[in-house]
Structure formats: structure tokens, C-alpha cells
Amino acid sequence: MSSTHLTRRTLLAGATAVALGATTIGTTVKAAAAEQAQVPDIWREFSRSPFTHPQIPYVGRAGHRGGAARFPRPRHFADVTEYGAVPDGTTDCAPAINRAIAAAGRAGGGTVTIPPGTFRIDGLIHIGDSGVVLRGAGSGRTTLYATKSLTELIGVYGSRYGGDKSAWSWAGGLIWLAPRARWDSLVAAVQSRAWPFEGWTGNKRDEWTPLTAVEPARQGSWTITVADPEGLHPGRLVLLRLADDPAHTLLQHMAGGGPGPASYSWDDKTKLLSYVPYEWPVRVTRVRGRRVTLERPLPLDVRPEWNPQLTTHVTELTGSGVEGLTLEVVETPQSPHLLDRGYNGVVLQCAYDCWVDDVTVTNVDNGFGLVAASACTLRRTRVAGRGSHHPYFCREGSHDNLIEDFTIEQRTVPAPPNTQLHGINVEGLSSYNVWSRGEMQMGTFDSHRGLPFADVRTDITVNNNGRHGGDASAGPLFGARFTHWNIRVTNGRAGLMKIDGLAPYSATVGVNEVTEFDQIDVPDFTGDLHARLELYGTTDAVRPRNLYDAQRDL
């Protein structure tokens, strides 16, 4: 498809969207909006080379089943009332709900429904089997009222990096989707105070075996050549593992390469170094001899010095979801920073092709979490109530996820002293994640260091009053190909919105005029960052309006 054709189609779509919106607000506004709509040069460039553009990542396959519009509808298995749940607001229904979920898992999957009403839960809800969906009658009709924290239910969870921090500040949920064996091992490790790694290869990152070496390939390639295709077949989920070398050329590559990353001090970033090897889960779609086609294009180059290989991993959770309910947590004061007790919302862990839809969490320490989760979609989610530490967190090597139509409401009570508010968080080498069509009444675009790269935030309105976190030992705030596209900053604060002076090989496109105040950061890398800034000082004028939707249209 030619670049001319793509540009014309993009312009036509933008003009159509403007015209449709203007029908409801009058011809004067219509004319003004049409005059303001602009297609930036960087979009035309991207349209010509979408898989290898130096500043904008290709995220058109992010989300459940490559961003599918519809979620699966497994057969109805049971209603929780059949297992003893009572919507009276006083009976502990967690055991009954978990019995129904476990029975659906033993039966090979199915939908467990929760009727309208308020169901008290004094324990957490765990979905540990693939193909199991927990479905309420709607977030405005079905409520789970949670009374206890993860500290009470499981125990104190310390940080594997030392200190007196509570890992419940960034892990675990009162609705927790994780494969059963993996979840059991995590709980056992917490209770024995052997603080675990939380990702795809076990508590000690040793639960994997090699499948085959991978020959050199370029970022953006959909096919790779392997040494031994035996054991690979369409539909199999594998890990691509890339290990760093002594010169840290893998980390430099994640940062875009060049003099700045080459001169950066990597050796003392001990927390960052604990995140490598980079582990990227992906499904195989075709095998022809030694040529293997993948579900998504390669996120990075594949070079011999990084010992590239496809490997096994812990058994994943797949095809499971939570829909149509509100998780309301008993209201308690927000804890001091990093001492959360674990009044957390919904977490997906070691999950692939899973989803959350039409779910609200209220009065939580941390709202929605992606922990070593990939190819998952969070749609129509909302964080409300007394205020939270991480409304959304994406960490421990989470990739290719889609968070769309999301809302962070303004807190209902003032923030207690010594607490912290982040926003939509990404960290720990997490890559190719998308936040799309959001309303953030508070918070910020939180990079928690740990060199996240190739992530996109698009079509979001934000009252930018949060702060980012992250230890200095976790390394850079941003890697390469971070993109902020059509961002409407209501309070005019630049920090973490306009990133052309912070993120290497990045793009900031269609951000209204902002100024620096409060937390002000300096770039991690010296020299030319090769960052792009286009249509700065405009509001909702950039076309395409939504970068993710436009990439899918390509």
C-alpha cells in the first residue's frame, strides 16, 4: 500500500471524525475544528515503515488476541449462588465464589456468573485456570465488598531488594488472575519470607529450559530462523530470551544506541540488571522448516552476543477474564509511601491473552496491575474512592498489553501525609504497552525507571498532579520509542508529558502548551536524544487522533 494512499485515507478518516463530532456542536465549531486538524510529518514517515520507525513503536497488535474488539464468551458453567454465595452484604462469599471458579477450572473452563447485589468477601478471589471467566451483571449492579488486606490474608511481603518496603505496594490483588501452580509458589515464598521474583520463569528465575537458538534478525521482523524447530508448532507460547553482554549492548539497544547510551554507567544499576535477560512471551503462528512466524513482530534486534533463544516458561494463564463488577474495598486511610497493606484491586500475573472489562475498583491501595503479563486487555476500567498509590501498574517485564477507555477519578478524601500518587505506571523492561482513550482526573504518566521502552500513551486527558517513582539503581526513566500522542494536560504541567528532552528516540506529538514545575527531571543520556516534537501547543488537533487505532487501521 503506497504512502500516498495511506495519507489520503488518514486525512479522510480525520475529516469524517471532525464532521461527525461537529454535527452535535454547531457549524462554527465544525469549521474551526476542521481548520485545526493536522497530520504530522512523523505519521507519514511511520506509515511508510511501521515496524522499524526509530521513534514510534508498532503497537497495532497490542492486547488480547492482537487487540480483538470482542472477548470470548465461554459457556455458562455456574452461578455463584449455586455454591452458597448470598448477596446480603454480610455473609462471607469468598469461599463460595472460589469454589465455583475452581470447579469451572476442573471442568476445562467456563463462565461463572455473579448476579446483581452486594457480596461480601473476607478473602481474595483467585482465578488460576485457563478459560475461566468471572462475570458480574455490570459494574453498576454487582459489587464484591472486600474487608481484608493481602497482609491479613497472606502475610507481610517484603522487598527482594531489601529495606522495610511492602511489596504489596506493587504486587498482588484481591482479585488475582495467575496460573494455579505459579500462584501457589508465590504465596509459599511470601509466607516463608523468601521474597520471590514474580515473572515468567519462577521465584528464582530458573524454571525454564532451552528449546532452540535463534539466528540474527532485525527488530520488526515477523519471522525468525531457528537452529532446531522440533517442539515448535502453531499456537505454542514460547519465551524469546535475550541476555545482556559485559558491555551492556542489549541495554544500549533498548535505549536507542549511540554515544549517550554507550557512555551511560550501567554497571551500578543493580536493580535494572536484575531484570535481564529480557523475556518476551509470544505465540508461534507458523513453522516452515527452520523458519518460524510469530504472532507479533520482534521487539528488538536479535544478535549473537545476546545468546538469543526460545525457551519454555511456567505454565501460563490464558483465555481468562473478569467482567462486569465493582470491587469495593472497606475504606481505610491510605498507607505511607511503600508501606501498603495490600488493599489492592485486580492483578493479572503470568497471564497471556486474558482480559478485564467493565470493572471498577474503589478505595484501593493499588488499582489494576499487570505483573509479567502480556497480550492482555483492560477495557472500561475505573479507579475510584479515597485515593490510591498506583492506580495502574505495569511491571516485571509486561509486554504488548492494551489499557483502553480507562478512568482515574479524583480522590474523595485529601491525601494523608507521606503518601504518594503515581498514575499509569510502567517499569522493569516492560515494552510495547498502550494506554488509550483515558481520563485521568489525577495522577501522571509514571515511569518507575527500570528502562521501559517502546510504550505508547494516546488520546488521554490528564490533570498532571502525580509524581513518578523508581530507585536510582533501577536506571533510566525511559528507553527508546516512547510515544505520547494527543495528550490534553488540563493543569499545564509538563513533567512526564512533554518528553522530548528526556526520552531517547521518542515522539511527543499533539500536546497542548505546558510548563515545567514541581518534579523536574534531567535526561539520563548525554548528547542528542534524537527525540521528535510535533504539533506542540495544539489541543486535539493531531490526526490521526488515536495512534493505536490508526496503527490497527494500517
Side-chain angles (χ1 to χ4, degrees), residues 31-188:
E35 184 179 356
Q36 291 178 355
Q38 301 176 63
V39 178
D41 291 340
I42 198 170
W43 171 252
R44 296 185 174 92
E45 296 170 11
F46 178 85
S47 299
R48 291 192 290 268
S49 58
F51 307 130
T52 58
H53 193 275
Q55 280 93 10
I56 297 179
Y58 175 72
V59 292
R61 295 283 294 169
H64 169 266
R65 293 190 177 179
R70 297 180 181 273
F71 299 119
R73 289 293 180 261
R75 64 182 178 86
H76 181 261
F77 176 78
D79 190 278
V80 297
T81 57
E82 299 171 31
Y83 284 78
V86 181
D88 59 7
T90 58
T91 302
D92 177 17
C93 298
I97 295 172
N98 283 322
R99 283 196 299 269
I101 291 170
R106 290 193 298 270
T111 298
V112 174
T113 56
I114 312 177
T118 297
F119 295 80
R120 174 173 170 155
I121 56 172
D122 295 339
L124 66 86
I125 305 302
H126 175 223
I127 298 177
D129 296 292
S130 294
V132 175
V133 176
L134 182 65
R135 182 184 301 154
S139 60
R141 302 182 67 201
T142 296
T143 297
L144 302 183
Y145 180 68
T147 64
K148 295 184 179 180
S149 69
L150 293 168
T151 298
E152 295 171 275
L153 297 172
I154 295 177
V156 172
Y157 188 0
S159 169
R160 67 176 181 252
Y161 300 105
D164 59 356
K165 302 172 184 177
S166 167
W168 297 130
S169 301
W170 57 77
L174 292 171
I175 300 178
W176 199 336
L177 290 78
R180 188 170 302 280
R182 185 74 185 98
W183 188 80
D184 288 344
S185 71
L186 286 167
V187 171

Side-chain angles (χ1 to χ4, degrees), residues 302-529:
V302 172
R303 302 178 187 174
E305 55 265 36
W306 301 332
N307 188 26
Q309 53 187 313
L310 299 182
T311 76
T312 65
H313 50 82
V314 298
T315 301
E316 72 274 12
L317 184 74
T318 189
S320 295
V322 179
E323 304 175 349
L325 58 83
T326 289
L327 176 67
E328 180 183 352
V329 177
V330 58
E331 186 168 354
T332 60
Q334 187 176 346
S335 297
H337 189 219
L338 298 176
L339 297 178
D340 296 350
R341 293 182 56 77
Y343 292 104
N344 295 348
V346 183
V347 166
L348 288 73
Q349 185 161 3
C350 296
Y352 195 96
D353 275 338
C354 293
W355 69 93
V356 178
D357 184 30
D358 183 26
V359 173
T360 296
V361 296
T362 301
N363 299 329
V364 291
D365 290 340
N366 303 282
F368 294 89
L370 297 158
V371 182
S374 294
C376 295
T377 295
L378 277 60
R379 182 177 296 159
R380 299 188 299 164
T381 55
R382 181 179 296 265
V383 181
R386 50 88 156 153
S388 55
H389 179 192
H390 295 95
Y392 291 82
F393 56 96
C394 177
R395 52 178 297 273
E396 203 75 14
S398 290
H399 314 292
D400 304 301
N401 297 294
L402 171 63
I403 302 94
E404 62 180 358
D405 301 307
F406 66 94
T407 302
I408 302 173
E409 292 187 359
Q410 185 59 258
R411 63 190 314 133
T412 55
V413 297
N418 302 316
T419 59
Q420 188 63 272
L421 166 65
H422 298 309
I424 52 175
N425 154 271
V426 62
E427 59 181 286
L429 299 186
S430 296
S431 62
Y432 294 86
N433 301 289
V434 179
W435 290 262
S436 169
R437 292 193 302 272
E439 180 186 357
M440 298 174 59
Q441 298 172 14
M442 63 178 191
T444 194
F445 292 177
D446 169 38
S447 168
H448 242 54
R449 301 193 176 272
L451 197 65
F453 65 93
D455 297 298
V456 168
R457 287 106 168 211
T458 182
D459 196 6
I460 298 171
T461 300
V462 53
N463 177 30
N464 184 25
N465 63 356
R467 301 174 68 85
H468 80 71
D471 295 337
S473 64
L477 276 171
F478 303 100
R481 299 188 305 285
F482 246 86
T483 302
H484 290 175
W485 186 284
N486 192 13
I487 307 301
R488 302 168 292 274
V489 186
T490 60
N491 64 342
R493 177 175 169 237
L496 302 169
M497 305 288 127
K498 183 177 178 291
I499 57 173
D500 55 295
L502 290 176
Y505 288 92
S506 68
T508 302
V509 183
V511 176
N512 58 281
E513 188 170 343
V514 291
T515 57
E516 291 281 3
F517 61 89
D518 194 22
Q519 179 173 274
I520 299 174
D521 293 293
V522 297
D524 292 290
F525 304 109
T526 58
D528 187 355
L529 294 179

Side-chain angles (χ1 to χ4, degrees), residues 245-267:
D245 61 5
H248 301 301
T249 60
L250 175 61
L251 296 176
Q252 293 179 43
H253 177 53
M254 291 173 176
S263 62
Y264 182 79
S265 176
W266 299 99
D267 285 327

